[in-house]
Amino acid sequence: MKKESWRELPIGGLNVHPGNSVSNLTGTWRSGKRPEFIPENCIQCLFCWLYCPHLAIQVKDGEVVGINYDYCTGCGLCAEECPAKKKAIVMVKEEIALQEGGGQ
Ligand code: SF4
Ligand code: SF4
């Protein structure tokens, strides 16, 4: 996605593009940690889906099947709220690949 310069941005910094929640990949905010889904521990309570602020928990036919890293910010709420005896979501360290800037 092309970044707009300050000359192109609307006054007030409003995001005036309809459907921007789909095109803005909030997963690019993630740094350091990401959730890992462990299906064999999952009791399908859907708490993670309920609490995720970015709808990044993937559900198919009423069951959690994974995590959409394009939108996951790594906030850790899903892992925190997972009530399974053996956690079905754990936060793991993530290598960060800088895509722009950083002088590399
Ligand atoms: S870490 Fe946060 S954003 Fe990512 S799936 Fe869990 S609740 Fe959603
Ligand atoms: S909160 Fe944990 S046990 Fe419940 S559906 Fe999500 S991963 Fe599975």
Side-chain angles (χ1 to χ4, degrees):
M1 187 166 76
K2 179 191 170 287
K3 285 189 178 171
E4 292 161 327
S5 74
W6 68 271
R7 289 176 199 273
E8 295 160 325
L9 287 171
I11 293 171
L14 297 173
N15 192 338
V16 294
H17 305 297
N20 61 67
S21 62
V22 173
S23 59
N24 286 336
L25 300 183
T26 51
T28 58
W29 304 350
R30 199 171 60 249
S31 69
K33 283 186 170 184
R34 71 184 174 118
E36 195 172 274
F37 179 53
I38 307 164
E40 58 269 30
N41 294 349
C42 182
I43 58 173
Q44 296 299 342
C45 66
L46 293 177
F47 273 23
C48 52
W49 174 81
L50 185 66
Y51 280 97
C52 177
H54 298 285
L55 293 178
I57 302 292
Q58 295 174 314
V59 175
K60 193 176 174 202
D61 299 328
E63 295 200 345
V64 172
V65 293
I67 293 155
N68 186 339
Y69 294 112
D70 280 350
Y71 297 98
C72 168
T73 57
C75 69
L77 266 176
C78 53
E80 186 66 32
E81 296 299 333
C82 177
K85 242 182 191 170
K86 284 171 87 178
K87 289 271 185 188
I89 299 184
V90 294
M91 298 303 288
V92 296
K93 271 193 179 173
E94 179 176 49
E95 292 297 322
I96 304 160
L98 295 177
Q99 295 192 347
E100 55 187 74
Q104 292 185 13

